[in-house]
Amino acid sequence: MRYRWREYEQEVATLVDSLDAGTTVQHNRYVVGRISGVRRQLDAVVEGHVAGQRVSIVIEAKLYKRNVSIGTIDEFIGKMLDVGCDRGVLYAAGGFTDGALSRAGNARNPAVGCVLFTPSAAPVATVNHDLPGASDVMKRMPDFTETALDAHLNLIVGYNRTAEYKKWILSGRSMLYRQHQGRR
């Protein structure tokens, strides 16, 4: 049986739901755009509160065999602006081009995160620690110790993550991209 995009979206939504016990995640949500007035489909929406303020994060899941390009990032940013979210995260099965990572890394209001995430039906991806945008922690410590992994997750995700998230990251099916500090 072929792995289909809707199952990939659901798998991403389930993963995102495991990130923080204090948030709610809705898969396949529809929202009327504030700018366009058109009904927009969102793969998943995460909502919660940070410092007493409501925060919304739009999740997009791309089950492409190829790398996500800068055009896809631009489309995602346009959708986020239209629906009025605080930030977005794009999960991709095939990775990202350098241009896409640069565009996402420099996006502001809303900010964009990129995550390489292979579907459970696919072979486990190998992690290339020299990829542009890979975190400094991953470059310095390719073989994580328990302490280094926790420090990395605290930096990327935060302290309020669930145990399921740590299991997912240890599975080797992912790569988190983070803009280098000081890079413009």
Side-chain angles (χ1 to χ4, degrees):
M1 183 169 124
R2 242 177 68 202
Y3 201 81
R4 305 213 188 272
W5 61 270
R6 183 64 77 189
E7 287 125 0
Y8 182 69
E9 282 183 8
Q10 182 61 59
E11 188 175 4
V12 167
T14 301
L15 164 71
V16 171
D17 197 28
S18 76
L19 295 178
D20 190 328
T23 61
T24 60
V25 176
Q26 287 184 302
H27 175 239
N28 196 30
R29 183 168 164 190
Y30 287 85
V31 176
V32 174
R34 296 177 180 181
I35 299 168
S36 68
V38 173
R39 190 172 179 236
R40 307 292 299 258
Q41 186 273 337
L42 307 174
D43 294 346
V45 177
V46 181
E47 294 179 317
H49 286 82
V50 175
Q53 300 297 307
R54 184 186 157 280
V55 176
S56 64
I57 302 170
V58 172
I59 304 296
E60 190 84 2
K62 298 296 184 190
L63 186 61
Y64 297 164
K65 290 181 182 178
R66 61 176 168 72
N67 289 340
V68 166
S69 68
I70 193 170
T72 303
I73 299 292
D74 283 338
E75 288 175 21
F76 185 43
I77 291 170
K79 181 187 278 190
M80 291 187 307
L81 289 169
D82 193 23
V83 300
C85 68
D86 298 298
R87 68 176 296 124
V89 182
L90 199 145
Y91 288 77
F96 300 86
T97 65
D98 290 345
L101 289 174
S102 180
R103 175 67 174 107
N106 290 305
R108 303 287 178 266
N109 295 333
V112 178
C114 294
V115 179
L116 170 63
F117 180 65
T118 60
S120 60
V124 173
T126 58
V127 175
N128 179 349
H129 298 286
D130 293 326
L131 285 173
S135 77
D136 289 332
V137 174
M138 292 184 95
K139 282 184 176 178
R140 286 194 314 267
M141 301 176 176
D143 298 318
F144 285 122
T145 63
E146 192 73 19
T147 304
L149 175 62
D150 282 336
H152 175 68
L153 294 177
N154 290 342
L155 178 70
I156 298 289
V157 179
Y159 294 93
N160 201 22
R161 65 187 177 276
T162 63
E164 289 82 14
Y165 181 77
K166 189 171 181 179
K167 284 184 220 168
W168 168 77
I169 202 77
L170 286 170
S171 74
R173 292 178 41 226
S174 68
M175 176 68 184
L176 301 171
Y177 295 92
R178 183 177 178 86
Q179 182 180 3
H180 292 288
Q181 300 297 342
R183 188 177 123 196
R184 292 282 322 165

